[in-house]
Amino acid sequence: MKITSDHFGVTSSGEEVQLFCLTNNQGMEVRITNYGGIITAINVPDRDGNLGDVVLGHETLEGYLNRSRYFGALIGRYANRIAHGRFCLNGITYSLAKNNGENHLHGGFKGFDKVVWSVREIPAADTACLQLTYLSKDGEEGYPGNLETIVTYLLTNGNELRIDYQATTDRDTIVNLTNHSYFNLAGSGTVLDHQVTINAETYTPVDKGLIPTGEIRSVRDTPLDFTSPTAIGARIRDYYEQLRLACGYDHNFVLRTGTQAFRNAATVYEPTTGRVLEVSTTQPGMQFYSGNFLDGSIVGKGDRVYVKHSGCCFETQHFPDSPNHPNFPSTVVKPNQEYRHTTSFKFSVA
Ligand code: BGC
């Protein structure tokens, strides 16, 4: 187990940014920068033991500053969309930044993905552990309350990357944190042949602005049924309204059991390399996004052109636009409470 660090660059406002490399005893490597808490690389073995990078991103800080689609980033204060950038809490209407048409997306114009986090290594016996903290001031991007956020990345010798999220506030507010890594277990090409299983019987259908309608709909007999392993590309071009609205998969799946128990949310298998990714979480939902809005305009690591479906995201989260849907699990956090969630990405081969 070891952690090394290097200078990664300087932001436009002159803040120093570092790049950390966490390595476990199996040789698995995770690179994380304190700019946006971004995971820039995950190197894991394939079935022949060859290490390969399984996430999209950039080699340089400049790439993340200028050409990113939230690659690998921490997302806050609110992951996913809030309709019209508006919500009501304790009788007060709050207006958030509208950075996605008329809606609010991923925390606004300068979300947690674009701030420099304080960072420290936490000594631990069998894990490489990095802790990032950020104080989001009252009113930032329109949100109430000073929000103190701590995100801990832990790499184990079992090839598991665990992410612990904690947040506390001094005023009632809303919180929904996630990580926006785009995975491609083959390390090249598209993810259409990746076989995905999602532990969800229902999902939250959306309107044309990708805002949930409020309905909780069964996945049965639809292209959103991933209750048994299915290639992402098998039905992605089916004539189905929800796929057309999102140009592919871009939906919040309601994970089985409404409790906060830590459990499996999804399993992904890539047939050519044998790589397997298991996603587990305490969160009630997961946005499965098949990289529909990648359009070849971004060139990433190794000069790879990121075309449509070059990567896919498993964003464990509370449901999009929850503050405007009383039937969704609440995202309200109060001063006497602590927001706490855990998600893990575990890699193996089959
Ligand atoms: C959303 C997509 C959005 C993407 C931006 C995903 O979390 O679900 O709709 O385009 O983030 O990269």
Side-chain angles (χ1 to χ4, degrees), residues 25-49:
N25 296 348
Q26 315 291 319
M28 173 176 167
E29 235 179 51
V30 180
R31 290 174 191 264
I32 296 165
T33 168
N34 60 324
Y35 175 74
I38 294 171
I39 299 172
T40 66
I42 300 182
N43 283 296
V44 286
D46 64 9
R47 63 161 76 87
D48 300 319

Tab-separated table of all heavy atoms in Angstrom, residues 25-49:
chain	number	residue	atom	x	y	z
A	25	ASN	N	-1.395	-3.673	-2.831
A	25	ASN	CA	-0.420	-4.769	-2.939
A	25	ASN	C	-0.595	-5.610	-4.205
A	25	ASN	O	0.278	-6.398	-4.543
A	25	ASN	CB	-0.504	-5.688	-1.714
A	25	ASN	CG	-0.109	-4.951	-0.450
A	25	ASN	OD1	0.421	-3.842	-0.523
A	25	ASN	ND2	-0.364	-5.557	0.702
A	26	GLN	N	-1.745	-5.474	-4.869
A	26	GLN	CA	-1.986	-6.223	-6.116
A	26	GLN	C	-1.483	-5.437	-7.336
A	26	GLN	O	-1.632	-5.898	-8.458
A	26	GLN	CB	-3.492	-6.458	-6.333
A	26	GLN	CG	-4.270	-6.911	-5.128
A	26	GLN	CD	-3.890	-8.314	-4.747
A	26	GLN	OE1	-3.716	-9.173	-5.618
A	26	GLN	NE2	-3.727	-8.553	-3.462
A	27	GLY	N	-1.021	-4.212	-7.093
A	27	GLY	CA	-0.581	-3.379	-8.220
A	27	GLY	C	-1.681	-2.502	-8.784
A	27	GLY	O	-1.449	-1.726	-9.711
A	28	MET	N	-2.900	-2.637	-8.245
A	28	MET	CA	-3.979	-1.746	-8.708
A	28	MET	C	-3.641	-0.315	-8.306
A	28	MET	O	-3.148	-0.073	-7.213
A	28	MET	CB	-5.316	-2.155	-8.085
A	28	MET	CG	-6.437	-1.176	-8.397
A	28	MET	SD	-8.042	-1.726	-7.742
A	28	MET	CE	-9.000	-0.228	-7.935
A	29	GLU	N	-3.929	0.602	-9.220
A	29	GLU	CA	-3.553	1.995	-9.031
A	29	GLU	C	-4.755	2.907	-9.246
A	29	GLU	O	-5.486	2.742	-10.229
A	29	GLU	CB	-2.576	2.322	-10.156
A	29	GLU	CG	-1.269	2.869	-9.751
A	29	GLU	CD	-0.452	3.095	-11.005
A	29	GLU	OE1	-0.963	3.741	-11.958
A	29	GLU	OE2	0.679	2.610	-11.034
A	30	VAL	N	-4.955	3.857	-8.345
A	30	VAL	CA	-6.015	4.855	-8.534
A	30	VAL	C	-5.374	6.225	-8.424
A	30	VAL	O	-4.659	6.506	-7.463
A	30	VAL	CB	-7.119	4.704	-7.469
A	30	VAL	CG1	-8.205	5.757	-7.677
A	30	VAL	CG2	-7.730	3.307	-7.506
A	31	ARG	N	-5.612	7.068	-9.427
A	31	ARG	CA	-5.069	8.429	-9.394
A	31	ARG	C	-6.198	9.413	-9.119
A	31	ARG	O	-7.264	9.321	-9.738
A	31	ARG	CB	-4.395	8.768	-10.727
A	31	ARG	CG	-3.118	7.995	-10.905
A	31	ARG	CD	-2.495	8.187	-12.274
A	31	ARG	NE	-1.436	7.194	-12.419
A	31	ARG	CZ	-0.166	7.445	-12.173
A	31	ARG	NH1	0.235	8.654	-11.815
A	31	ARG	NH2	0.731	6.487	-12.303
A	32	ILE	N	-5.940	10.304	-8.178
A	32	ILE	CA	-6.965	11.251	-7.739
A	32	ILE	C	-6.338	12.633	-7.618
A	32	ILE	O	-5.252	12.782	-7.049
A	32	ILE	CB	-7.535	10.824	-6.365
A	32	ILE	CG1	-8.251	9.473	-6.483
A	32	ILE	CG2	-8.492	11.885	-5.802
A	32	ILE	CD1	-8.543	8.794	-5.154
A	33	THR	N	-7.025	13.644	-8.147
A	33	THR	CA	-6.551	15.013	-7.950
A	33	THR	C	-7.491	15.753	-7.008
A	33	THR	O	-8.693	15.438	-6.958
A	33	THR	CB	-6.423	15.780	-9.295
A	33	THR	OG1	-6.223	17.172	-8.999
A	33	THR	CG2	-7.645	15.655	-10.165
A	34	ASN	N	-6.947	16.736	-6.280
A	34	ASN	CA	-7.821	17.502	-5.390
A	34	ASN	C	-8.561	18.604	-6.140
A	34	ASN	O	-9.366	19.309	-5.558
A	34	ASN	CB	-7.071	18.049	-4.172
A	34	ASN	CG	-5.943	18.970	-4.511
A	34	ASN	OD1	-5.251	18.772	-5.510
A	34	ASN	ND2	-5.735	19.986	-3.699
A	35	TYR	N	-8.329	18.750	-7.459
A	35	TYR	CA	-9.216	19.607	-8.257
A	35	TYR	C	-10.475	18.786	-8.553
A	35	TYR	O	-10.423	17.756	-9.238
A	35	TYR	CB	-8.544	20.036	-9.569
A	35	TYR	CG	-9.491	20.819	-10.455
A	35	TYR	CD1	-9.833	22.135	-10.144
A	35	TYR	CD2	-10.093	20.226	-11.566
A	35	TYR	CE1	-10.733	22.842	-10.928
A	35	TYR	CE2	-10.998	20.929	-12.356
A	35	TYR	CZ	-11.315	22.230	-12.027
A	35	TYR	OH	-12.218	22.929	-12.794
A	36	GLY	N	-11.602	19.192	-7.991
A	36	GLY	CA	-12.867	18.482	-8.214
A	36	GLY	C	-12.910	17.097	-7.593
A	36	GLY	O	-13.866	16.358	-7.823
A	37	GLY	N	-11.869	16.726	-6.828
A	37	GLY	CA	-11.829	15.376	-6.254
A	37	GLY	C	-11.883	14.316	-7.347
A	37	GLY	O	-12.397	13.216	-7.148
A	38	ILE	N	-11.333	14.667	-8.503
A	38	ILE	CA	-11.469	13.828	-9.701
A	38	ILE	C	-10.602	12.576	-9.656
A	38	ILE	O	-9.410	12.650	-9.337
A	38	ILE	CB	-11.108	14.660	-10.969
A	38	ILE	CG1	-12.145	15.764	-11.173
A	38	ILE	CG2	-10.970	13.786	-12.204
A	38	ILE	CD1	-11.769	16.773	-12.257
A	39	ILE	N	-11.212	11.443	-9.984
A	39	ILE	CA	-10.462	10.207	-10.212
A	39	ILE	C	-9.988	10.283	-11.663
A	39	ILE	O	-10.798	10.280	-12.592
A	39	ILE	CB	-11.356	8.960	-10.028
A	39	ILE	CG1	-11.901	8.898	-8.607
A	39	ILE	CG2	-10.592	7.688	-10.397
A	39	ILE	CD1	-12.949	7.798	-8.393
A	40	THR	N	-8.684	10.410	-11.862
A	40	THR	CA	-8.189	10.590	-13.231
A	40	THR	C	-7.835	9.265	-13.909
A	40	THR	O	-7.794	9.190	-15.131
A	40	THR	CB	-6.945	11.501	-13.265
A	40	THR	OG1	-5.872	10.832	-12.596
A	40	THR	CG2	-7.214	12.844	-12.593
A	41	ALA	N	-7.568	8.226	-13.109
A	41	ALA	CA	-7.216	6.923	-13.700
A	41	ALA	C	-7.474	5.811	-12.691
A	41	ALA	O	-7.311	6.010	-11.488
A	41	ALA	CB	-5.743	6.903	-14.113
A	42	ILE	N	-7.917	4.668	-13.195
A	42	ILE	CA	-8.010	3.447	-12.374
A	42	ILE	C	-7.378	2.337	-13.195
A	42	ILE	O	-7.906	1.956	-14.251
A	42	ILE	CB	-9.478	3.086	-12.023
A	42	ILE	CG1	-10.163	4.217	-11.234
A	42	ILE	CG2	-9.523	1.770	-11.234
A	42	ILE	CD1	-11.606	3.909	-10.803
A	43	ASN	N	-6.230	1.864	-12.743
A	43	ASN	CA	-5.541	0.791	-13.470
A	43	ASN	C	-5.782	-0.533	-12.762
A	43	ASN	O	-5.360	-0.713	-11.621
A	43	ASN	CB	-4.052	1.093	-13.560
A	43	ASN	CG	-3.785	2.149	-14.617
A	43	ASN	OD1	-4.028	1.930	-15.805
A	43	ASN	ND2	-3.333	3.314	-14.195
A	44	VAL	N	-6.467	-1.447	-13.460
A	44	VAL	CA	-6.782	-2.760	-12.875
A	44	VAL	C	-6.423	-3.870	-13.862
A	44	VAL	O	-6.426	-3.661	-15.075
A	44	VAL	CB	-8.280	-2.887	-12.506
A	44	VAL	CG1	-8.611	-2.073	-11.275
A	44	VAL	CG2	-9.191	-2.501	-13.656
A	45	PRO	N	-6.129	-5.075	-13.347
A	45	PRO	CA	-5.738	-6.171	-14.243
A	45	PRO	C	-6.910	-6.735	-15.042
A	45	PRO	O	-8.055	-6.703	-14.575
A	45	PRO	CB	-5.194	-7.241	-13.282
A	45	PRO	CG	-5.604	-6.848	-11.911
A	45	PRO	CD	-6.020	-5.424	-11.922
A	46	ASP	N	-6.585	-7.254	-16.242
A	46	ASP	CA	-7.580	-8.039	-16.982
A	46	ASP	C	-7.364	-9.510	-16.621
A	46	ASP	O	-6.576	-9.824	-15.714
A	46	ASP	CB	-7.477	-7.781	-18.492
A	46	ASP	CG	-6.147	-8.242	-19.072
A	46	ASP	OD1	-5.362	-8.913	-18.357
A	46	ASP	OD2	-5.872	-7.934	-20.248
A	47	ARG	N	-8.018	-10.420	-17.328
A	47	ARG	CA	-7.928	-11.832	-16.918
A	47	ARG	C	-6.539	-12.432	-17.137
A	47	ARG	O	-6.213	-13.450	-16.562
A	47	ARG	CB	-9.024	-12.694	-17.580
A	47	ARG	CG	-8.964	-12.795	-19.069
A	47	ARG	CD	-9.761	-14.014	-19.560
A	47	ARG	NE	-11.199	-13.804	-19.528
A	47	ARG	CZ	-11.912	-13.257	-20.510
A	47	ARG	NH1	-11.311	-12.825	-21.614
A	47	ARG	NH2	-13.214	-13.147	-20.409
A	48	ASP	N	-5.690	-11.746	-17.941
A	48	ASP	CA	-4.304	-12.214	-18.109
A	48	ASP	C	-3.330	-11.461	-17.206
A	48	ASP	O	-2.109	-11.608	-17.324
A	48	ASP	CB	-3.860	-12.044	-19.572
A	48	ASP	CG	-4.744	-12.840	-20.514
A	48	ASP	OD1	-5.089	-13.991	-20.167
A	48	ASP	OD2	-5.114	-12.300	-21.582
A	49	GLY	N	-3.876	-10.622	-16.336
A	49	GLY	CA	-3.021	-9.892	-15.398
A	49	GLY	C	-2.493	-8.570	-15.924
A	49	GLY	O	-1.695	-7.911	-15.261
